[in-house]
Amino acid sequence: MTDAKIQKEIKQLRIRAEEFRRMALKYKRSFGKSEREQRQLLFKEVKNIRGEIRKLQSYHEEKFMTDAQVILGTPVALYDAGVEKLHFKTLIIDEAGQCLEPLAWCIMPMADKWVLAGDHLQLPPTVLSETAAKRGFNRSILELAIEKSEAVYLLDTQYRMRASIARFSSQYFYNDLLKTAQHLADDGVHVYFVDTAGAGMEEEQGTEGSSLQNTGELDTIQKLMELENIDPANAALISPYSAQVAAARERFPFSMRVSTIDSFQGQEKDTILISLVRSNSDGIIGFLKDYRRMNVAITRAKEKLFIVGDSATIGNDIFYRSFLEFVEKEGKYISVWELGASIKQKSETFWVSLFCFNLFRRSNNNVPVFDRAVITLNVQGAR
């Protein structure tokens, strides 16, 4: 029996069960013995038909799975479907970097050989329980397998982005082993860092109070899109902070994808604009410290990658310091003032800050540290 015929048979049974159910419900609350018995018989028939539907589905599902050469599903769905009764030669877990170990063990006993595919250097599985995380249940089966197995193979050629967009991730995360397909060789500048340091564009609490936003960075991105003639339909704005995403959705065209980095994993656009949000005098960067999240963010663009952030806040972190140095060599550094950003007004005072980038100072142990020189002009009572 074909799948279409089975579905038709099940549909007819469901229609029949619904007809009996409606007939039973037509009886009012006050009725005689014969009506009561008739109603009970109708409900019993509904129950019998539904049982027949379940048996029919179960029989054919088991038959389809037994006859199938390939079965697809999530670990939990496969386990719930009773696939553990079957045995396979090979089990392939795609996106294994997102699969927690307990989930993997639901299905791994079903096969003689396992193939785990994914990237353990991008976003890890989401674990809400702190207790579970402390006990080690926040690690993916891919991470654990890479630590224990010698049969680890790197697919070393990427076909998404221009070479310079992929190069920093290759150097920092993949021991400089990641290659780029020949047709994606650079044909100009593809990586940009727009520096807001000294411009007074500080982070602030979002409207809900549980996340951060930076309206100055959104102003900068709007100006950048105008100057670079970026088509919203071919671009995406992503940020690690949900409050920034919520604020951006109110300001940018509906045709433009606006998303958190986590939600954008696995996707791509010609142009990616990243808003880092963090800008404070203490150099606190919060969960920008999760470099795997940034690895996802900076590898979403196919043609151009723009990152907007405050170098004075992020520059003392080794990862972001390395990225800023990379942009200086292989991309283009732009001060926000070069975009003609409007001067930020605070009551009766205009603060004009000129940020001088690429100044280094060396600490006592001779380690280079990013520093900034800021010249501030205070114009009282300006109009």
Side-chain angles (χ1 to χ4, degrees), residues 31-137:
F31 46 76
K33 181 180 178 183
S34 60
E35 288 86 356
R36 185 180 296 107
E37 289 175 349
Q38 182 66 23
R39 189 184 191 202
Q40 289 174 348
L41 287 172
L42 288 169
F43 277 130
K44 185 177 180 181
E45 186 62 24
V46 171
K47 185 178 180 181
N48 290 337
I49 293 173
R50 287 175 176 172
E52 187 178 344
I53 291 172
R54 284 193 296 270
K55 288 179 182 178
L56 191 63
Q57 285 178 320
S58 178
Y59 169 77
H60 286 291
E61 282 175 4
E62 188 173 336
K63 188 175 185 302
F64 284 146
M65 290 182 182
T66 303
D67 295 343
Q69 293 182 318
V70 178
I71 299 176
L72 304 177
T74 63
V76 172
L78 290 171
Y79 185 81
D80 287 346
V83 181
E84 78 278 1
K85 300 172 186 175
L86 306 176
H87 197 77
F88 304 90
K89 291 181 180 179
T90 306
L91 167 69
I92 301 173
I93 303 180
D94 192 21
E95 294 294 349
Q98 292 279 301
C99 181
L100 292 167
E101 184 185 4
L103 289 179
W105 284 114
C106 287
I107 53 175
M108 288 201 299
M110 303 177 192
D112 298 322
K113 182 171 71 174
W114 312 325
V115 178
L116 309 182
D119 188 347
H120 65 297
L121 297 174
Q122 293 201 356
L123 282 174
T126 300
V127 176
L128 300 178
S129 169
E130 291 185 10
T131 303
K134 288 178 181 177
R135 293 181 178 179
F137 289 107

Side-chain angles (χ1 to χ4, degrees), residues 152-171:
V152 179
Y153 304 94
L154 174 68
L155 301 179
D156 63 0
T157 304
Q158 66 86 17
Y159 298 88
R160 170 183 290 157
M161 66 207 89
R162 294 289 182 174
S164 58
I165 298 177
R167 194 167 295 130
F168 179 74
S169 282
S170 176
Q171 293 172 356

Side-chain angles (χ1 to χ4, degrees), residues 193-197 199-202 214-228 230 237 244 251-252 256 273-276 306-310 334-343:
F193 183 79
V194 182
D195 196 351
T196 65
M201 298 179 182
E202 295 197 350
N214 190 316
T215 54
E217 286 191 7
L218 296 181
D219 294 336
T220 300
I221 290 171
Q222 283 185 314
K223 186 70 175 179
L224 182 65
M225 291 183 68
E226 293 173 12
L227 294 176
E228 294 288 331
I230 296 172
L237 190 165
Q244 185 76 335
R251 299 177 58 167
F252 290 89
M256 182 175 179
L273 302 112
I274 302 174
S275 174
L276 296 181
F306 294 89
I307 298 183
V308 180
D310 182 347
I334 306 172
S335 170
V336 70
W337 302 104
E338 295 176 49
L339 300 179
S342 58
I343 299 171

Side-chain angles (χ1 to χ4, degrees), residues 202-215 243 278:
E202 295 197 350
E203 65 195 55
E204 55 192 3
Q205 288 292 326
T207 53
E208 299 297 325
S210 59
S211 183
L212 296 174
Q213 66 182 49
N214 190 316
T215 54
R278 299 314 296 253

Side-chain angles (χ1 to χ4, degrees), residues 339-357:
L339 300 179
S342 58
I343 299 171
K344 187 174 181 180
Q345 182 180 7
K346 293 183 179 179
S347 63
E348 297 296 317
T349 304
F350 280 94
W351 295 93
V352 185
S353 300
L354 305 177
F355 175 68
C356 303
F357 180 74

